[in-house]
Amino acid sequence: MRWSHPLHRTLWGPGLGRALQPADEYIPFLIHWIWARKGDCTFGPHRVLIRQRGSSVGSGPPSGRHEQLFRSTSAAEAIQRHRRNLAAWFSRLPREERQFGPTFALDTIHVDPVIRESTPDELLRPPSELVLEHQLPPARLPTLGLSQLFDPDACGHRVQTVVLYGTVGTGKSTLVRKMVLDWCYGRLPAFELLIPFSCEDLSSLGPNPASLCQLVAQRYTPLEEILPLMATTGSRLLFVFHGLEHLNLDFRLAGTGLCSDPEKPEAPAAIIVNLLRKYMLPEASILVTTRPSAVGRIPSKYVGRYGEICGFSDTNLQKLYFQLRLNQPDCGHSAGGVGVSPTPAQRDNLVEMLSRNLEGHHQIAAACFLPSYCWLVCATLHFLHAPTPVGQTLTSIYTSFLRLNFNGEMLDSTDPSKLSLMAYAARTMGKLAYEGVSSRKTYFSEEDVHGCLEAGIRTEEEFQLLHVFRRDALRFFLAPCVEPGHLGTFVFTVPAMQEYLAALYIVLGLRKTTLQRVGKEVAELVGRVGEDVGLVLGIVAKLLPLRALPLLFNLLKVVPRVFGRVVGKSREAVAQAMVLEMFREEDYYNDDVLDQMDASILGREGPRCHPEEPPEDEVFELFPMFMGGLLSAHNRAMLAQLGCPIKNLDALENAQAIKKKLGKLGRRVLPPSELLDHLFFHYEFQNQRFSAEVLSSLRQLNLAGVRMTPLKCTVVAAVLGTGKHALEEVNLASCQLDPAGLRTLMPVFLRARKLGLQLNSLGPEACRDLRDLLLHDQCQITTLRLSNNPLTATGVALLVEGLAGNTSLTHLSLLHTGLGDEGLELLAAQLDRNQQLQELNVAYNGAGDTAALALARAAWEHPSLELLHLYFNELSSEGRQTLRDLGGTAEGGARIVVSLTEGTAVSEYWSVILSEVQRNLNSWDRGRVQRHLELLLQDLEDNRGATLNPWRKAQLLRVEGEVRGLLQQLGGPGS
């Protein structure tokens, strides 16, 4: 799961992805713009589209530009209504974009991809060159802006028909949407009327006849009254036909007759053919978008210009896209308003780190040649760094990404099988991905790719489907590798996509052994004929004394059961491999999987591995996460729309196999990063019942040292916040927690008996949440460790309010929390309001004699307090002696620890004091700690000289040695 090493741009060809295809809920894009009816929606203020390339920015719908051809007021008003309707439909945000904020608008972040003029000769190149040869597209032909598509050609001839083509995900839909909005806001003055059609919608009508006027009137009601004027508009009328691959056009006269009448009913394909022939409305301009495999369906003599969409072939375009999208004012506000949005400085830091990674020319820059993968990078960063909408998972982001690019896409509309393009990709690319995961490799030779693509192909129809997939979609999944030592090989466009497709290949049940394939056919055959054969054998057995017949009859019944067990064993083997991958002890990546993904996008600071060093073993920790995520109901619903349904029974059996293996291996004590990965798997699975059963044995949550981002806090709270059993200990030391994280984790804290929040830089504002935690009626915390947090006296004032109303807390550590005299005096005044506290640690807080003595007297009078830690405070020798005398009083309740000695003997708490010093040696003020240790050393030497007991002298000498060792670590005098 890495992106690294320099990018050689000479290795990249024109295959690119596309930016987002708007879709509302689960409705395919462009379905919106074909059903605009009068009065369907209320039109609010228009969003102005910001153009970063191409034509200049306009300010709004033009007025008075229709007077030349549409002179009547009613016709001009109809055009204006048509503009408003189109603008309203095309400005709607899909669900996938709503995660970026409540006021997020695609209009403000559009960056035009490069459109390169192409030639018919280039379209005739063999498909193998387009797919597997490492070369740049010819640079001799110019690039085009949207406003230049219909400019005269090199010979000065007028261009009436333009065909734009690009592989799946290249941005065809986004360009169409951009062009329509440009026209709506007056930025395409060359056209007075624009009429867009979705070829996917037209194909759904089949051969049912309808006239061109009927098709327009049904979809764009305001244009009904100006339909008779269409023939007079000439070249200022623009038809846009998006997704020509959905239609099978026949330009033979025997197949499609001539028709020049827009009011004559014909099949939709016949109308488009006659428009392209220039037999119907010969002066009209036409823009067609299609995939490369369908470009040849239009004879080149009917096309004035070809344009290939080449995506973001310049890293400056990539950086501009990221700056616009990630620096949105409310990019980071979740849909529900939950969580804290990243600050402008944090957003700028993300953009800067990403830009540096792009400038390093790593594999990520190659992936971001595809605009759609730029969207995926932004969505992943938003998921990792911004408040997470309820129910959103990493798997759902990748599934949504594929839905945006493949929803409604058939591999070949002319093939009778109507096979989903995504289903074909899951079968072929999924096989390659899974073989890579199984053999732990991410680099694939051309032989590897050919082997997976051509496996099992026997008929001419299958070869034709493979030809279409190679031209239209292979570049979407695979990219030429740019890492030194691996040139000439291929990698998946983003590393996580390999693990996603491998998981999809498994959960779809596409991985079958020869025994399974043959056994299934035999079992189905036996199951169909078993009853009939059994009946015949029963009759024959009664008439003839053949004892072997009943045995044969029983064997027929056993065959389906045996096959079922074979399938079950296969599922268990996959579950075993998945669980082993999840709990594998890797050497290179010790971070949790979320930090690994973050580093792969933003880059790693510090020295990189030398290219000549042996490569590290590949780690596929996302593979089990995606397997769990794909089994969730939400992702299964989206996959069904892509033509990749997962049966409920298969999902249940896979889940049971995984649960069985997790139940065995999940009980082991895991390192903090691996434990978080385990919890993230359950978060991706989104099944509370499953998680509750598997995690029922978890008693200690140790995430010490894990950087707890808002996402990780959400993951832990979602998985463990609903459990019923108590957690004996929750250790979140050194996790960079903030008050927002505390609020998110509150359900987990309510289940904890011991809670460790040391070394988290929690300030006074966090004490408000801690107070609410202590006052909660379900709080069962007995030990709370807040040491090494700058709580100050302001924070303690809030904490004592929680202590006053809490009935469970017995041990509280406020070591090194900056309380000072004021903080200790507050505790002394309010300590009697809590009647359960048994141990209080306020060591190393800079308190003087007066405050320390006041707290010691309050502790001495407290009914339950047994131990008070006051060492490493700014105490005089007289103050320390007074505290020793008070703590040593027989009738007192609390023991007071201020030094390593008690009288002339070693204190029984000396190891506790020195272990705290050793643990915090690198984080505390070294000069201050050294001064305190020297005082303790002097105290030990004085007591050793004052005692005659050899046993005590030996103990004091041992402790002196420990203190001298700490002083040597600090660079002080060791003797």
Side-chain angles (χ1 to χ4, degrees):
M1 192 170 59
R2 337 183 256 259
W3 270 316
S4 59
H5 296 290
L7 167 66
H8 301 282
R9 300 190 182 206
T10 55
L11 299 182
W12 256 87
L16 297 154
R18 75 177 170 196
L20 173 62
Q21 176 175 333
D24 191 27
E25 301 305 323
Y26 297 110
I27 306 174
F29 173 66
L30 300 178
I31 292 295
H32 300 301
W33 41 277
I34 58 179
W35 296 113
R37 296 185 177 86
K38 188 183 295 182
D40 274 355
C41 32
T42 302
F43 304 104
H46 304 307
R47 294 190 180 102
V48 177
L49 208 62
I50 296 179
R51 298 231 24 209
Q52 302 300 333
R53 290 175 55 87
S55 62
S56 60
V57 177
S59 58
S63 59
R65 292 185 178 176
H66 310 290
E67 295 171 1
Q68 295 181 359
L69 297 176
F70 300 102
R71 292 185 175 87
S72 68
T73 303
S74 60
E77 290 177 352
I79 295 293
Q80 287 295 92
R81 289 198 304 273
H82 179 56
R83 289 178 187 267
R84 289 195 298 269
N85 284 1
L86 285 181
W89 281 118
F90 279 80
S91 296
R92 295 182 68 180
L93 278 177
R95 170 186 289 181
E96 287 77 7
E97 290 291 15
R98 295 172 196 162
Q99 64 177 305
F100 291 102
T103 61
F104 181 82
L106 291 174
D107 303 350
T108 61
I109 54 88
H110 182 82
V111 180
D112 285 346
V114 173
I115 304 175
R116 183 180 59 84
E117 189 166 358
S118 183
T119 63
D121 293 338
E122 189 175 339
L123 297 173
L124 297 176
R125 291 169 57 194
S128 59
E129 294 182 28
L130 290 172
V131 174
L132 295 177
E133 196 171 276
H134 303 165
Q135 58 181 15
L136 279 172
R140 61 183 181 276
L141 294 175
T143 59
L144 301 169
L146 284 181
S147 61
Q148 302 170 322
L149 293 178
F150 289 90
D151 288 353
D153 61 16
C155 299
H157 298 152
R158 180 175 142 204
V159 173
Q160 288 184 281
T161 302
V162 176
V163 174
L164 294 180
Y165 65 92
T167 58
V168 172
T170 345
K172 301 182 293 295
S173 298
T174 304
L175 277 178
V176 168
R177 174 185 175 281
K178 176 66 167 58
M179 191 171 195
V180 172
L181 286 173
D182 274 354
W183 179 80
C184 290
Y185 298 126
R187 293 193 286 267
L188 288 178
F191 302 106
E192 294 192 15
L193 179 59
L194 184 146
I195 303 176
F197 284 100
S198 165
C199 293
E200 182 183 358
D201 166 55
L202 295 178
S203 67
S204 66
L205 302 178
N208 298 327
S211 68
L212 177 61
C213 291
Q214 287 174 334
L215 293 176
V216 174
Q218 287 173 358
R219 288 152 179 78
Y220 307 110
T221 311
L223 299 182
E224 283 182 320
E225 58 185 277
I226 64 170
L227 288 177
L229 302 176
M230 278 199 308
T232 65
T233 56
S235 62
R236 307 200 70 177
L237 168 63
L238 173 62
F239 286 102
V240 178
F241 295 103
H242 174 66
L244 187 72
E245 66 274 2
H246 292 280
L247 289 173
N248 189 15
L249 304 183
D250 187 354
F251 279 81
R252 299 172 303 160
L253 287 176
T256 304
L258 299 176
C259 177
S260 61
D261 186 0
E263 297 185 359
K264 181 180 178 181
E266 293 280 354
I271 294 175
I272 294 178
V273 167
N274 281 290
L275 284 171
L276 292 169
R277 284 172 173 166
K278 296 303 176 184
Y279 200 77
M280 182 185 294
L281 302 179
E283 296 298 317
S285 301
I286 300 174
L287 174 68
V288 176
T289 66
T290 184
R291 301 201 309 246
S293 64
V295 172
R297 297 182 188 179
I298 305 177
S300 59
K301 64 181 179 180
Y302 298 124
V303 180
R305 173 173 286 135
Y306 291 98
E308 181 184 9
I309 304 173
C310 297
F312 298 154
S313 55
D314 184 355
T315 54
N316 290 325
L317 292 179
Q318 301 169 14
K319 287 194 277 188
L320 178 60
Y321 180 93
F322 292 131
Q323 289 170 0
L324 291 173
R325 183 172 284 268
L326 294 176
N327 277 322
Q328 288 293 301
D330 58 357
C331 182
H333 289 280
S334 62
V338 179
V340 178
S341 172
T343 63
Q346 291 172 330
R347 293 198 297 265
D348 291 341
N349 185 50
L350 279 181
V351 173
E352 183 181 352
M353 292 179 69
L354 185 55
S355 297
R356 283 204 302 267
N357 207 21
L358 290 171
E359 290 168 0
H361 306 308
H362 305 142
Q363 193 80 38
I364 185 177
C368 290
F369 280 7
L370 290 73
S372 58
Y373 279 99
C374 290
W375 181 91
L376 181 61
V377 167
C378 286
T380 305
L381 285 177
H382 189 269
F383 174 71
L384 293 172
H385 292 275
T388 305
V390 177
Q392 186 184 57
T393 64
L394 184 65
T395 311
S396 69
I397 288 177
Y398 273 74
T399 308
S400 299
F401 169 69
L402 293 175
R403 186 180 68 174
L404 288 169
N405 289 280
F406 289 92
N407 195 23
E409 296 282 354
M410 289 182 295
L411 182 57
D412 186 1
S413 61
T414 63
D415 187 73
S417 66
K418 305 298 181 186
L419 180 63
S420 160
L421 180 52
M422 189 61 225
Y424 192 89
R427 192 178 73 200
T428 53
M429 293 293 96
K431 177 180 174 62
L432 181 67
Y434 180 74
E435 289 181 355
V437 171
S438 300
S439 57
R440 313 201 68 77
K441 69 176 183 179
T442 57
Y443 311 104
F444 303 94
S445 64
E446 291 191 10
E447 291 74 19
D448 296 331
V449 177
H450 281 299
C452 288
L453 290 176
E454 298 175 2
I457 292 183
R458 297 181 182 86
T459 65
E460 180 63 28
E461 291 77 11
E462 291 173 339
F463 272 106
Q464 175 60 26
L465 292 178
L466 175 58
H467 168 77
V468 173
F469 182 77
R470 278 178 167 170
R471 297 203 62 173
D472 292 349
L474 185 57
R475 274 283 174 89
F476 183 85
F477 295 103
L478 292 181
C481 181
V482 299
E483 296 182 12
H486 296 282
L487 299 180
T489 63
F490 292 87
V491 295
F492 280 85
T493 311
V494 293
M497 185 58 73
Q498 176 180 352
E499 298 175 72
Y500 179 93
L501 290 174
L504 182 62
Y505 183 72
I506 294 300
V507 298
L508 288 176
L510 298 175
R511 177 184 175 271
K512 292 184 176 68
T513 63
T514 304
L515 175 62
Q516 287 177 306
R517 287 192 294 268
V518 175
K520 182 179 180 181
E521 296 174 1
V522 172
E524 289 177 350
L525 177 62
V526 171
R528 285 195 298 267
V529 303
E531 293 184 3
D532 297 335
V533 173
L535 179 61
V536 173
L537 290 176
I539 296 173
V540 173
K542 291 180 180 179
L543 297 177
L544 299 174
L546 298 176
R547 301 188 178 215
L549 291 179
L551 178 61
L552 181 59
F553 173 63
N554 291 328
L555 286 175
L556 289 174
K557 292 182 178 180
V558 169
V559 170
R561 291 185 202 165
V562 172
F563 175 71
R565 295 207 172 185
V566 170
V567 174
K569 289 294 182 183
S570 175
R571 286 199 177 97
E572 288 188 8
V574 171
Q576 175 79 7
M578 188 209 78
V579 172
L580 289 176
E581 185 65 48
M582 187 187 305
F583 296 124
R584 181 175 176 267
E585 296 179 2
E586 65 278 5
D587 298 324
Y588 187 80
Y589 287 114
N590 292 320
D591 295 336
D592 59 83
V593 69
L594 294 175
D595 278 353
Q596 291 178 37
M597 174 162 280
D598 194 39
S600 73
I601 295 175
L602 299 178
R604 289 183 176 273
E605 301 293 338
R608 298 181 180 273
C609 296
H610 193 275
E612 297 180 359
E613 292 182 5
E616 304 86 7
D617 193 11
E618 295 293 345
V619 178
F620 297 99
E621 288 188 289
L622 277 177
F623 169 63
M625 314 300 171
F626 283 138
M627 270 198 69
L630 289 171
L631 293 176
S632 68
H634 176 63
N635 283 296
R636 284 191 285 127
M638 285 195 287
L639 288 172
Q641 298 171 24
L642 292 171
C644 301
I646 301 174
K647 297 179 181 178
N648 291 329
L649 183 60
D650 291 340
L652 177 62
E653 291 177 349
N654 277 309
Q656 288 175 342
I658 293 172
K659 182 168 67 174
K660 181 178 178 181
K661 298 302 178 182
L662 278 178
K664 294 180 179 178
L665 295 176
R667 294 189 184 95
R668 66 175 65 174
V669 178
L670 299 172
S673 60
E674 292 298 310
L675 178 56
L676 183 66
D677 290 346
H678 187 193
L679 297 178
F680 186 60
F681 166 80
H682 290 277
Y683 178 77
E684 291 290 312
F685 197 11
Q686 295 280 297
N687 188 322
Q688 291 185 356
R689 181 179 176 184
F690 175 93
S691 300
E693 293 178 4
V694 173
L695 297 173
S696 60
S697 61
L698 182 66
R699 289 294 182 270
Q700 290 188 334
L701 179 65
N702 180 16
L703 297 177
V706 174
R707 185 173 60 96
M708 293 300 291
T709 62
L711 172 61
K712 295 176 188 176
C713 292
T714 301
V715 167
V716 175
V719 175
L720 296 177
T722 57
K724 296 181 180 179
H725 68 277
L727 295 171
E728 293 299 328
E729 182 176 5
V730 174
N731 185 1
L732 295 174
S734 303
C735 288
Q736 302 180 35
L737 275 172
D738 56 13
L742 293 180
R743 289 191 290 273
T744 303
L745 291 168
M746 191 68 70
V748 181
F749 295 162
L750 292 174
R751 295 177 53 196
R753 298 283 175 81
K754 297 179 181 180
L755 177 59
L757 298 173
Q758 315 94 295
L759 291 164
N760 277 296
S761 300
L762 296 174
E765 63 278 5
C767 292
R768 193 178 308 277
D769 301 294
L770 294 172
R771 177 198 62 186
D772 296 340
L773 172 63
L774 292 173
L775 292 175
H776 199 285
D777 56 357
Q778 297 180 11
C779 178
Q780 51 185 323
I781 296 174
T782 60
T783 300
L784 178 60
R785 294 186 291 270
L786 297 172
S787 56
N788 296 296
N789 287 297
L791 303 180
T792 71
T794 305
V796 168
L798 295 169
L799 273 181
V800 294
E801 295 178 20
L803 286 174
N806 181 269
T807 59
S808 63
L809 192 66
T810 58
H811 295 72
L812 175 63
S813 175
L814 298 174
L815 169 74
H816 191 215
T817 51
L819 303 185
D821 288 341
E822 184 182 356
L824 264 65
E825 289 170 357
L826 275 171
L827 284 170
Q830 303 291 330
L831 192 60
D832 61 339
R833 297 177 62 187
N834 181 286
Q835 301 297 311
Q836 286 77 35
L837 201 61
Q838 298 175 10
E839 182 178 348
L840 176 62
N841 190 340
V842 289
Y844 197 18
N845 271 295
D849 292 350
T850 304
L853 186 57
L855 181 58
R857 285 172 179 162
W860 184 74
E861 298 172 355
H862 196 276
S864 62
L865 196 64
E866 299 174 356
L867 188 61
L868 175 64
H869 299 265
L870 284 171
Y871 53 87
F872 272 39
N873 280 294
E874 302 302 319
L875 304 175
S876 64
S877 57
E878 294 82 6
R880 286 196 297 273
Q881 187 59 47
T882 303
L883 290 170
R884 285 196 193 99
D885 296 341
L886 181 63
T889 305
E891 61 270 18
R895 299 188 63 178
I896 301 172
V897 181
V898 293
S899 177
L900 296 176
T901 61
E902 292 180 0
T904 58
V906 174
S907 170
E908 62 180 287
Y909 300 103
W910 72 267
S911 61
V912 175
I913 297 174
L914 294 185
S915 64
E916 285 285 358
V917 175
Q918 181 69 58
R919 190 182 304 116
N920 298 285
L921 205 59
N922 296 324
S923 60
W924 286 356
D925 183 276
R926 300 175 71 87
R928 188 174 172 187
V929 172
Q930 181 176 334
R931 179 167 55 84
H932 280 290
L933 287 175
E934 289 171 353
L935 289 174
L936 291 177
L937 182 61
Q938 183 63 47
D939 190 35
L940 288 167
E941 291 175 345
D942 293 343
N943 282 281
R944 180 165 53 86
T947 182
L948 298 176
N949 188 320
W951 174 247
R952 288 185 178 179
K953 283 182 178 289
Q955 287 183 314
L956 289 167
L957 279 171
R958 177 191 173 191
V959 177
E960 283 181 34
E962 297 285 346
V963 175
R964 293 180 196 279
L966 291 174
L967 284 171
Q968 286 179 344
Q969 292 183 44
L970 289 170
S975 60

